[in-house]
Amino acid sequence: MVVEIRPFDPPSASADELAASYAVMVAVQSLDHPEQKLPTLEQYIELISVQNSLAGPMRRWLAREDGRVVGHASAIYPEPENRHMTIVRIIVTPERRRRGVGTALLRTILPDLGADGRTVVVGHGVKTDASGEQWARALGFVRTHGFIRQILTIADVDPALWQHPVADGFRLERWTDAAPETLLAAYARARTAITDAPSGESTMAHREWTPERVRLHEETLRAGNWGNRVLVAVHEDSGEVAAATELSVRAEQPTRAFQGDTAVVAEHRGHGLGLAVKGAMLRWLTADRPDVEHVSTQTAHDNVHMARINFAVGFTTDAALSELEADLGDLVKRLAAE
């Protein structure tokens, strides 16, 4: 069958297109990630109608066979860091896999992936050793980093696991949506501590946090309907932020929270601050948002210390995920030769 591929703009799409796209997502998620709770059709439409991801602008495409939607692709163009790469996600409904649909999608969107001189194509959050990674590696993608996806099911966890007092000499502070000016610069410095987390062979750079970047991040979260909360440990003597953790809930997915970065500044490690801020965050979340049922996060597979902290507060691992990279020029040559 001939695969027809066209751009997909959710805000202007027809109800039939949106429903067909949703059906593909449901089929793929049900097979590849059965442990994940699916959004409703209405929630899905709201989620994909946001034009920008937290990393940068996004484009989408649909693949059809005989008029039926059988797959879709998305491309994220990170900025300002990582302007050398495009992050791609391609999914194909299970019954049409291994029939060239995914390859046709990739071949069609290749010219768009090089926008603004980008040279690297990245697949992020691909289930390790599953069909998607096998397909990508056959095309020349290389696994550059690995992650574990961890889930905390609030109803299954004893809240006593979150009772970790902050060490002497530190105090906890917290806020929603926007950092207070009095802590903004110190918070930005603390967030930059994440840059020494394990990153394997990935060419994806961590953000260099500044007060301006923090404010831009906060604006992006608000534009994407994310309710964001931050909790920090402040060193009493210096007034510096010694540890920070971020957690967000999207309006379209009110029962699921997403644990973002947790960072402890190097000179303040060894005081249990990571455990203290994560425990305090969970106490705050459950008191403030009793509708949240699950908290999910991704941790580098070799970040043993952070994984241990997550296990200590009740997270369990439900999937191994890979980050894959390929040179765009090499992909063009390989697909042209097929």
Side-chain angles (χ1 to χ4, degrees):
M1 292 185 182
V2 176
V3 180
E4 179 188 26
I5 297 163
R6 294 180 181 175
F8 176 46
D9 177 47
S12 63
S14 68
D16 287 344
E17 281 184 313
L18 293 167
S21 172
Y22 176 72
V24 172
M25 183 278 296
V26 169
V28 170
Q29 289 291 99
S30 298
L31 177 65
D32 294 345
H33 302 282
E35 69 287 341
Q36 295 287 292
K37 183 177 179 179
L38 294 169
T40 65
L41 172 60
E42 292 74 19
Q43 289 170 336
Y44 174 76
I45 292 171
E46 291 178 348
L47 287 167
I48 66 172
S49 294
V50 176
Q51 297 298 297
N52 286 346
S53 75
L54 294 180
M58 175 183 286
R59 299 178 189 171
R60 300 178 188 273
W61 296 261
L62 290 182
R64 294 176 174 82
E65 285 184 335
D66 288 341
R68 177 184 170 222
V69 175
V70 294
H72 45 77
S74 64
I76 297 172
Y77 303 87
E79 52 186 33
E81 289 93 2
N82 299 308
R83 293 185 64 86
H84 67 293
M85 65 173 52
T86 308
I87 302 171
V88 174
R89 183 167 187 254
I90 293 175
I91 64 171
V92 176
T93 194
E95 69 271 17
R96 302 308 300 167
R97 291 178 178 174
R98 296 184 176 87
R99 297 172 185 249
V101 176
T103 303
L105 267 164
L106 181 59
R107 181 183 287 112
T108 299
I109 70 176
L110 275 178
D112 294 272
L113 304 186
D116 303 321
R118 297 171 191 266
T119 58
V120 175
V121 181
V122 177
H124 186 74
V126 181
K127 194 169 185 179
T128 300
D129 293 328
S131 59
E133 181 175 15
Q134 293 168 7
W135 167 78
R137 295 183 75 166
L139 288 172
F141 282 82
V142 175
R143 185 191 297 170
T144 55
H145 199 20
F147 299 85
I148 54 173
R149 184 175 63 216
Q150 297 177 289
I151 304 293
L152 186 151
T153 301
I154 290 172
D156 296 342
V157 177
D158 182 353
L161 294 179
W162 309 332
Q163 302 298 325
H164 297 279
V166 68
D168 291 342
F170 299 88
R171 71 176 187 275
L172 298 180
E173 296 204 19
R174 68 191 195 187
W175 60 82
T176 57
D177 299 327
E181 285 292 334
T182 54
L183 287 174
L184 179 59
Y187 173 56
R189 287 192 293 272
R191 289 208 63 153
T192 301
I194 197 72
T195 58
D196 63 3
S199 57
E201 299 177 16
S202 172
T203 68
M204 186 179 295
H206 289 289
R207 291 184 180 183
E208 291 294 330
W209 290 97
T210 64
E212 294 76 21
R213 291 299 304 281
V214 170
R215 291 298 187 223
L216 179 61
H217 177 63
E218 292 167 347
E219 290 174 10
T220 303
L221 286 165
R222 287 192 292 270
N225 295 326
W226 292 94
N228 189 50
R229 58 188 65 212
V230 174
L231 193 144
V232 302
V234 178
H235 185 235
E236 295 278 17
D237 288 345
S238 66
E240 289 295 299
V241 173
T245 191
E246 178 184 47
L247 184 144
S248 303
V249 180
R250 201 168 186 178
E252 296 84 0
Q253 293 178 294
T255 64
R256 180 174 292 271
F258 295 86
Q259 172 68 62
D261 288 347
T262 298
V264 180
V265 176
E267 56 266 34
H268 295 296
R269 291 172 185 167
H271 298 289
L273 296 179
L275 199 55
V277 295
K278 280 207 168 180
M281 176 66 83
L282 289 166
R283 297 196 304 271
W284 180 21
L285 174 71
T286 52
D288 194 42
R289 290 292 304 266
D291 53 330
V292 173
E293 300 171 0
H294 306 280
V295 183
S296 65
T297 191
Q298 286 187 23
T299 307
H301 72 91
D302 48 356
N303 193 346
V304 178
H305 179 67
M306 189 55 64
R308 187 183 300 121
I309 289 175
N310 290 340
F311 291 136
V313 296
F315 282 89
T316 60
T317 297
D318 75 340
L321 305 173
S322 294
E323 180 180 297
L324 310 166
E325 292 190 16
D327 178 82
L328 178 59
D330 291 344
L331 276 178
V332 171
K333 293 175 184 177
R334 183 181 290 268
L335 290 172
E338 290 192 356

PDB file of all heavy atoms in Angstrom, residues 67-91:
ATOM      1  N   GLY A  67      -6.381   6.082   3.296  1.00  0.00           N
ATOM      2  CA  GLY A  67      -7.147   7.065   4.042  1.00  0.00           C
ATOM      3  C   GLY A  67      -7.197   6.852   5.531  1.00  0.00           C
ATOM      4  O   GLY A  67      -7.711   7.700   6.272  1.00  0.00           O
ATOM      5  N   ARG A  68      -6.656   5.723   6.008  1.00  0.00           N
ATOM      6  CA  ARG A  68      -6.704   5.423   7.439  1.00  0.00           C
ATOM      7  C   ARG A  68      -5.391   5.827   8.094  1.00  0.00           C
ATOM      8  O   ARG A  68      -4.312   5.500   7.609  1.00  0.00           O
ATOM      9  CB  ARG A  68      -6.922   3.923   7.636  1.00  0.00           C
ATOM     10  CG  ARG A  68      -6.919   3.502   9.089  1.00  0.00           C
ATOM     11  CD  ARG A  68      -7.035   1.993   9.226  1.00  0.00           C
ATOM     12  NE  ARG A  68      -6.793   1.576  10.600  1.00  0.00           N
ATOM     13  CZ  ARG A  68      -6.078   0.522  10.936  1.00  0.00           C
ATOM     14  NH1 ARG A  68      -5.502  -0.220   9.996  1.00  0.00           N
ATOM     15  NH2 ARG A  68      -5.935   0.189  12.195  1.00  0.00           N
ATOM     16  N   VAL A  69      -5.483   6.541   9.208  1.00  0.00           N
ATOM     17  CA  VAL A  69      -4.286   6.959   9.932  1.00  0.00           C
ATOM     18  C   VAL A  69      -3.661   5.741  10.606  1.00  0.00           C
ATOM     19  O   VAL A  69      -4.316   5.036  11.388  1.00  0.00           O
ATOM     20  CB  VAL A  69      -4.621   8.036  10.977  1.00  0.00           C
ATOM     21  CG1 VAL A  69      -3.379   8.381  11.808  1.00  0.00           C
ATOM     22  CG2 VAL A  69      -5.158   9.300  10.292  1.00  0.00           C
ATOM     23  N   VAL A  70      -2.375   5.491  10.294  1.00  0.00           N
ATOM     24  CA  VAL A  70      -1.682   4.320  10.831  1.00  0.00           C
ATOM     25  C   VAL A  70      -0.406   4.682  11.592  1.00  0.00           C
ATOM     26  O   VAL A  70       0.264   3.806  12.143  1.00  0.00           O
ATOM     27  CB  VAL A  70      -1.341   3.319   9.704  1.00  0.00           C
ATOM     28  CG1 VAL A  70      -2.610   2.727   9.108  1.00  0.00           C
ATOM     29  CG2 VAL A  70      -0.480   3.980   8.634  1.00  0.00           C
ATOM     30  N   GLY A  71      -0.063   5.966  11.622  1.00  0.00           N
ATOM     31  CA  GLY A  71       1.140   6.353  12.351  1.00  0.00           C
ATOM     32  C   GLY A  71       1.272   7.854  12.410  1.00  0.00           C
ATOM     33  O   GLY A  71       0.600   8.578  11.670  1.00  0.00           O
ATOM     34  N   HIS A  72       2.104   8.330  13.322  1.00  0.00           N
ATOM     35  CA  HIS A  72       2.414   9.747  13.299  1.00  0.00           C
ATOM     36  C   HIS A  72       3.809  10.002  13.833  1.00  0.00           C
ATOM     37  O   HIS A  72       4.450   9.147  14.460  1.00  0.00           O
ATOM     38  CB  HIS A  72       1.374  10.629  13.993  1.00  0.00           C
ATOM     39  CG  HIS A  72       0.862  10.194  15.310  1.00  0.00           C
ATOM     40  ND1 HIS A  72       1.567  10.325  16.468  1.00  0.00           N
ATOM     41  CD2 HIS A  72      -0.339   9.662  15.654  1.00  0.00           C
ATOM     42  CE1 HIS A  72       0.821   9.910  17.491  1.00  0.00           C
ATOM     43  NE2 HIS A  72      -0.331   9.490  17.019  1.00  0.00           N
ATOM     44  N   ALA A  73       4.283  11.200  13.516  1.00  0.00           N
ATOM     45  CA  ALA A  73       5.630  11.603  13.897  1.00  0.00           C
ATOM     46  C   ALA A  73       5.583  12.996  14.478  1.00  0.00           C
ATOM     47  O   ALA A  73       4.710  13.801  14.146  1.00  0.00           O
ATOM     48  CB  ALA A  73       6.552  11.574  12.673  1.00  0.00           C
ATOM     49  N   SER A  74       6.545  13.275  15.349  1.00  0.00           N
ATOM     50  CA  SER A  74       6.711  14.630  15.871  1.00  0.00           C
ATOM     51  C   SER A  74       8.195  14.950  15.893  1.00  0.00           C
ATOM     52  O   SER A  74       9.042  14.057  16.004  1.00  0.00           O
ATOM     53  CB  SER A  74       6.113  14.764  17.274  1.00  0.00           C
ATOM     54  OG  SER A  74       6.807  13.939  18.199  1.00  0.00           O
ATOM     55  N   ALA A  75       8.497  16.229  15.767  1.00  0.00           N
ATOM     56  CA  ALA A  75       9.874  16.704  15.832  1.00  0.00           C
ATOM     57  C   ALA A  75       9.920  17.914  16.742  1.00  0.00           C
ATOM     58  O   ALA A  75       9.124  18.853  16.590  1.00  0.00           O
ATOM     59  CB  ALA A  75      10.394  17.059  14.444  1.00  0.00           C
ATOM     60  N   ILE A  76      10.842  17.898  17.695  1.00  0.00           N
ATOM     61  CA  ILE A  76      11.066  19.014  18.607  1.00  0.00           C
ATOM     62  C   ILE A  76      12.412  19.632  18.260  1.00  0.00           C
ATOM     63  O   ILE A  76      13.401  18.922  18.062  1.00  0.00           O
ATOM     64  CB  ILE A  76      11.048  18.551  20.069  1.00  0.00           C
ATOM     65  CG1 ILE A  76       9.675  17.985  20.438  1.00  0.00           C
ATOM     66  CG2 ILE A  76      11.411  19.697  21.014  1.00  0.00           C
ATOM     67  CD1 ILE A  76       9.634  17.331  21.812  1.00  0.00           C
ATOM     68  N   TYR A  77      12.437  20.956  18.195  1.00  0.00           N
ATOM     69  CA  TYR A  77      13.642  21.690  17.828  1.00  0.00           C
ATOM     70  C   TYR A  77      14.158  22.440  19.065  1.00  0.00           C
ATOM     71  O   TYR A  77      13.744  23.571  19.331  1.00  0.00           O
ATOM     72  CB  TYR A  77      13.327  22.655  16.687  1.00  0.00           C
ATOM     73  CG  TYR A  77      12.757  21.950  15.474  1.00  0.00           C
ATOM     74  CD1 TYR A  77      11.379  21.712  15.366  1.00  0.00           C
ATOM     75  CD2 TYR A  77      13.580  21.485  14.463  1.00  0.00           C
ATOM     76  CE1 TYR A  77      10.854  21.037  14.270  1.00  0.00           C
ATOM     77  CE2 TYR A  77      13.062  20.820  13.357  1.00  0.00           C
ATOM     78  CZ  TYR A  77      11.699  20.596  13.277  1.00  0.00           C
ATOM     79  OH  TYR A  77      11.188  19.928  12.184  1.00  0.00           O
ATOM     80  N   PRO A  78      15.056  21.807  19.849  1.00  0.00           N
ATOM     81  CA  PRO A  78      15.496  22.420  21.108  1.00  0.00           C
ATOM     82  C   PRO A  78      16.186  23.765  20.889  1.00  0.00           C
ATOM     83  O   PRO A  78      16.873  23.975  19.886  1.00  0.00           O
ATOM     84  CB  PRO A  78      16.498  21.387  21.656  1.00  0.00           C
ATOM     85  CG  PRO A  78      16.150  20.106  20.985  1.00  0.00           C
ATOM     86  CD  PRO A  78      15.672  20.500  19.624  1.00  0.00           C
ATOM     87  N   GLU A  79      15.980  24.635  21.866  1.00  0.00           N
ATOM     88  CA  GLU A  79      16.660  25.933  21.846  1.00  0.00           C
ATOM     89  C   GLU A  79      16.663  26.487  23.275  1.00  0.00           C
ATOM     90  O   GLU A  79      15.766  26.172  24.061  1.00  0.00           O
ATOM     91  CB  GLU A  79      15.972  26.919  20.892  1.00  0.00           C
ATOM     92  CG  GLU A  79      14.491  27.089  21.112  1.00  0.00           C
ATOM     93  CD  GLU A  79      13.832  27.964  20.053  1.00  0.00           C
ATOM     94  OE1 GLU A  79      14.255  27.960  18.890  1.00  0.00           O
ATOM     95  OE2 GLU A  79      12.875  28.657  20.428  1.00  0.00           O
ATOM     96  N   PRO A  80      17.656  27.321  23.661  1.00  0.00           N
ATOM     97  CA  PRO A  80      18.817  27.684  22.851  1.00  0.00           C
ATOM     98  C   PRO A  80      19.928  26.648  22.862  1.00  0.00           C
ATOM     99  O   PRO A  80      20.725  26.577  21.935  1.00  0.00           O
ATOM    100  CB  PRO A  80      19.285  28.991  23.478  1.00  0.00           C
ATOM    101  CG  PRO A  80      18.934  28.847  24.915  1.00  0.00           C
ATOM    102  CD  PRO A  80      17.635  28.077  24.927  1.00  0.00           C
ATOM    103  N   GLU A  81      20.019  25.821  23.960  1.00  0.00           N
ATOM    104  CA  GLU A  81      20.993  24.742  23.901  1.00  0.00           C
ATOM    105  C   GLU A  81      20.517  23.683  22.913  1.00  0.00           C
ATOM    106  O   GLU A  81      19.349  23.581  22.582  1.00  0.00           O
ATOM    107  CB  GLU A  81      21.181  24.090  25.277  1.00  0.00           C
ATOM    108  CG  GLU A  81      21.904  24.952  26.292  1.00  0.00           C
ATOM    109  CD  GLU A  81      20.964  25.753  27.153  1.00  0.00           C
ATOM    110  OE1 GLU A  81      19.740  25.598  26.968  1.00  0.00           O
ATOM    111  OE2 GLU A  81      21.438  26.532  27.982  1.00  0.00           O
ATOM    112  N   ASN A  82      21.447  22.893  22.458  1.00  0.00           N
ATOM    113  CA  ASN A  82      21.156  21.724  21.617  1.00  0.00           C
ATOM    114  C   ASN A  82      20.558  22.084  20.266  1.00  0.00           C
ATOM    115  O   ASN A  82      19.741  21.329  19.715  1.00  0.00           O
ATOM    116  CB  ASN A  82      20.243  20.749  22.374  1.00  0.00           C
ATOM    117  CG  ASN A  82      20.891  20.243  23.644  1.00  0.00           C
ATOM    118  OD1 ASN A  82      22.014  19.757  23.612  1.00  0.00           O
ATOM    119  ND2 ASN A  82      20.200  20.383  24.758  1.00  0.00           N
ATOM    120  N   ARG A  83      20.992  23.227  19.725  1.00  0.00           N
ATOM    121  CA  ARG A  83      20.524  23.611  18.401  1.00  0.00           C
ATOM    122  C   ARG A  83      21.160  22.770  17.301  1.00  0.00           C
ATOM    123  O   ARG A  83      20.860  22.972  16.113  1.00  0.00           O
ATOM    124  CB  ARG A  83      20.787  25.098  18.155  1.00  0.00           C
ATOM    125  CG  ARG A  83      19.947  26.025  19.046  1.00  0.00           C
ATOM    126  CD  ARG A  83      20.150  27.482  18.680  1.00  0.00           C
ATOM    127  NE  ARG A  83      19.681  27.747  17.323  1.00  0.00           N
ATOM    128  CZ  ARG A  83      18.429  28.038  16.999  1.00  0.00           C
ATOM    129  NH1 ARG A  83      17.508  28.088  17.949  1.00  0.00           N
ATOM    130  NH2 ARG A  83      18.093  28.277  15.761  1.00  0.00           N
ATOM    131  N   HIS A  84      21.998  21.815  17.677  1.00  0.00           N
ATOM    132  CA  HIS A  84      22.567  20.895  16.694  1.00  0.00           C
ATOM    133  C   HIS A  84      21.672  19.684  16.475  1.00  0.00           C
ATOM    134  O   HIS A  84      21.927  18.890  15.576  1.00  0.00           O
ATOM    135  CB  HIS A  84      23.950  20.423  17.146  1.00  0.00           C
ATOM    136  CG  HIS A  84      23.929  19.553  18.377  1.00  0.00           C
ATOM    137  ND1 HIS A  84      23.556  20.038  19.622  1.00  0.00           N
ATOM    138  CD2 HIS A  84      24.223  18.244  18.555  1.00  0.00           C
ATOM    139  CE1 HIS A  84      23.625  19.056  20.513  1.00  0.00           C
ATOM    140  NE2 HIS A  84      24.030  17.963  19.892  1.00  0.00           N
ATOM    141  N   MET A  85      20.617  19.544  17.257  1.00  0.00           N
ATOM    142  CA  MET A  85      19.827  18.316  17.182  1.00  0.00           C
ATOM    143  C   MET A  85      18.333  18.578  17.042  1.00  0.00           C
ATOM    144  O   MET A  85      17.825  19.651  17.355  1.00  0.00           O
ATOM    145  CB  MET A  85      20.063  17.458  18.427  1.00  0.00           C
ATOM    146  CG  MET A  85      19.594  18.075  19.725  1.00  0.00           C
ATOM    147  SD  MET A  85      19.716  16.931  21.156  1.00  0.00           S
ATOM    148  CE  MET A  85      21.405  16.359  21.061  1.00  0.00           C
ATOM    149  N   THR A  86      17.636  17.561  16.546  1.00  0.00           N
ATOM    150  CA  THR A  86      16.181  17.514  16.498  1.00  0.00           C
ATOM    151  C   THR A  86      15.735  16.239  17.198  1.00  0.00           C
ATOM    152  O   THR A  86      16.272  15.162  16.918  1.00  0.00           O
ATOM    153  CB  THR A  86      15.659  17.514  15.054  1.00  0.00           C
ATOM    154  OG1 THR A  86      16.233  18.602  14.339  1.00  0.00           O
ATOM    155  CG2 THR A  86      14.147  17.630  15.023  1.00  0.00           C
ATOM    156  N   ILE A  87      14.774  16.357  18.102  1.00  0.00           N
ATOM    157  CA  ILE A  87      14.274  15.201  18.850  1.00  0.00           C
ATOM    158  C   ILE A  87      13.029  14.675  18.143  1.00  0.00           C
ATOM    159  O   ILE A  87      12.056  15.414  17.961  1.00  0.00           O
ATOM    160  CB  ILE A  87      13.956  15.585  20.298  1.00  0.00           C
ATOM    161  CG1 ILE A  87      15.203  16.157  20.981  1.00  0.00           C
ATOM    162  CG2 ILE A  87      13.434  14.380  21.074  1.00  0.00           C
ATOM    163  CD1 ILE A  87      14.935  16.762  22.341  1.00  0.00           C
ATOM    164  N   VAL A  88      13.063  13.420  17.756  1.00  0.00           N
ATOM    165  CA  VAL A  88      12.014  12.839  16.916  1.00  0.00           C
ATOM    166  C   VAL A  88      11.309  11.703  17.638  1.00  0.00           C
ATOM    167  O   VAL A  88      11.942  10.920  18.361  1.00  0.00           O
ATOM    168  CB  VAL A  88      12.624  12.314  15.596  1.00  0.00           C
ATOM    169  CG1 VAL A  88      11.582  11.572  14.777  1.00  0.00           C
ATOM    170  CG2 VAL A  88      13.201  13.470  14.796  1.00  0.00           C
ATOM    171  N   ARG A  89      10.014  11.616  17.440  1.00  0.00           N
ATOM    172  CA  ARG A  89       9.248  10.466  17.920  1.00  0.00           C
ATOM    173  C   ARG A  89       8.384   9.970  16.770  1.00  0.00           C
ATOM    174  O   ARG A  89       7.628  10.752  16.164  1.00  0.00           O
ATOM    175  CB  ARG A  89       8.373  10.840  19.115  1.00  0.00           C
ATOM    176  CG  ARG A  89       7.613   9.641  19.705  1.00  0.00           C
ATOM    177  CD  ARG A  89       7.003   9.969  21.057  1.00  0.00           C
ATOM    178  NE  ARG A  89       6.438   8.788  21.681  1.00  0.00           N
ATOM    179  CZ  ARG A  89       5.132   8.526  21.787  1.00  0.00           C
ATOM    180  NH1 ARG A  89       4.246   9.390  21.307  1.00  0.00           N
ATOM    181  NH2 ARG A  89       4.701   7.431  22.379  1.00  0.00           N
ATOM    182  N   ILE A  90       8.490   8.697  16.468  1.00  0.00           N
ATOM    183  CA  ILE A  90       7.697   8.073  15.410  1.00  0.00           C
ATOM    184  C   ILE A  90       6.989   6.860  15.994  1.00  0.00           C
ATOM    185  O   ILE A  90       7.630   6.009  16.618  1.00  0.00           O
ATOM    186  CB  ILE A  90       8.583   7.652  14.223  1.00  0.00           C
ATOM    187  CG1 ILE A  90       9.155   8.889  13.528  1.00  0.00           C
ATOM    188  CG2 ILE A  90       7.809   6.783  13.230  1.00  0.00           C
ATOM    189  CD1 ILE A  90      10.133   8.580  12.415  1.00  0.00           C
ATOM    190  N   ILE A  91       5.675   6.792  15.837  1.00  0.00           N
ATOM    191  CA  ILE A  91       4.926   5.625  16.296  1.00  0.00           C
ATOM    192  C   ILE A  91       4.043   5.113  15.167  1.00  0.00           C
ATOM    193  O   ILE A  91       3.543   5.886  14.340  1.00  0.00           O
ATOM    194  CB  ILE A  91       4.088   5.911  17.557  1.00  0.00           C
ATOM    195  CG1 ILE A  91       3.003   6.960  17.279  1.00  0.00           C
ATOM    196  CG2 ILE A  91       4.966   6.349  18.711  1.00  0.00           C
ATOM    197  CD1 ILE A  91       2.020   7.110  18.447  1.00  0.00           C
TER     198      ILE A  91
END
